[in-house]
Amino acid sequence: FKTPNIFLQIIRSIFGVFAMYFGYSALSFIPLAQASTIGFTKVFFVSILAIIFFSEKLTKEVFFFSIIGFVGTYLILNPDELISSNGTILSLISSFFVAAGIISSVKLLKSNKTITIIFYHSFFSTVLCGVIFFSEISYLSLYDLFQLTLLTIIALIGQFLNMESYKYEKTSFVILFSYSRVIFSFLLGYFILQENIELINIIGILIIIVSTYLVSKTRNSQNSIVMDKGRG
């Protein structure tokens, strides 16, 4: 419960609520595939915000592989066409708030435990959603409640591991690996939901795997050079 920056905890929760609200609203206008593709613009938003707030340097390699990873994501999702509409704008706004939430989380990690950040995010988000959407709350069956509880537990585990990763590497570097999420989503959709798989989807997966591997290898090489200079 102890936190030295309760105001930033509230701000982060507001970012999270806005990200969810605009993200779900976008789905009323555009297909899920297109919304998911646009959602990966958070990689660029995070990189820009990390430069502004943390003075991180965006290397040419990381920027290049960010573009390549986005291309791979586009090929996997394979939206029929990009629609310039309210949905696109809403999805971009959601992506920005996701990035702002990540940046505020990284800031909080410097003086808070991960579990503390997750607790306050869940608490304030619940209060905010309860106030804003109180008239829309409906009663759930036990089965629906069970499914939502399971979904919440899985989401919290993912959120915990995601924030832990920011303790060990630069934000603009770690965010690149979010591209791998679309691979897991695609594979789960194929094996569990019997969704179709096409050659262009496989190419997209390979592009993401290769781009994240190369940027990781580049990062490790840079760290080795820095360590060797330090020893020298």
Side-chain angles (χ1 to χ4, degrees), residues 177-216:
F177 290 86
S178 65
Y179 282 128
S180 63
R181 184 183 68 184
V182 75
I183 299 178
F184 295 117
S185 298
F186 183 81
L187 293 176
L188 289 171
Y190 175 74
F191 288 108
I192 298 177
L193 302 177
Q194 287 76 51
E195 294 180 348
N196 294 329
I197 182 170
E198 299 177 5
L199 178 60
I200 193 171
N201 305 136
I202 297 175
I203 294 174
I205 289 176
L206 291 176
I207 288 175
I208 292 176
I209 292 174
V210 171
S211 63
T212 50
Y213 169 75
L214 289 177
V215 75
S216 177

Side-chain angles (χ1 to χ4, degrees), residues 2 7 9 17 20 23 34 68 77 86 90 95 107 117-118 139 143 147 150 154 165 174 183 187 194 210 223 232:
K2 188 177 180 180
F7 179 73
Q9 299 279 12
V17 171
M20 288 187 290
Q34 183 178 329
I68 297 299
L77 297 172
N86 292 335
L90 290 170
S95 184
K107 183 72 174 177
I117 300 172
I118 292 177
Y139 293 100
Y143 180 68
Q147 290 189 94
L150 184 61
I154 294 173
S165 67
V174 174
I183 299 178
L187 293 176
Q194 287 76 51
V210 171
N223 288 340

Side-chain angles (χ1 to χ4, degrees), residues 27-134:
L27 297 177
S28 301
F29 299 95
I30 57 177
L32 177 61
Q34 183 178 329
S36 299
T37 303
I38 297 171
F40 277 94
T41 54
K42 70 178 182 180
V43 173
F44 304 106
F45 287 130
V46 166
S47 297
I48 293 171
L49 292 175
I51 293 172
I52 295 173
F53 291 101
F54 301 138
S55 300
E56 290 188 5
K57 292 183 178 179
L58 182 62
T59 64
K60 291 183 292 185
E61 292 83 0
V62 171
F63 180 77
F64 174 75
F65 290 123
S66 296
I67 301 294
I68 297 299
F70 185 78
V71 171
T73 302
Y74 180 87
L75 292 177
I76 288 179
L77 297 172
N78 191 25
D80 294 332
E81 59 180 1
L82 285 176
I83 307 170
S84 179
S85 66
N86 292 335
T88 301
I89 296 173
L90 290 170
S91 194
L92 282 171
I93 295 174
S94 172
S95 184
F96 172 79
F97 280 116
V98 169
I102 291 172
I103 292 298
S104 56
S105 295
V106 174
K107 183 72 174 177
L108 285 168
L109 281 170
K110 295 179 180 180
S111 55
N112 293 266
K113 293 181 179 179
T114 299
I115 195 68
T116 303
I117 300 172
I118 292 177
F119 168 76
Y120 279 108
H121 178 258
S122 300
F123 176 76
F124 288 122
S125 296
T126 301
V127 173
L128 286 169
C129 288
V131 172
I132 298 172
F133 305 110
F134 181 78

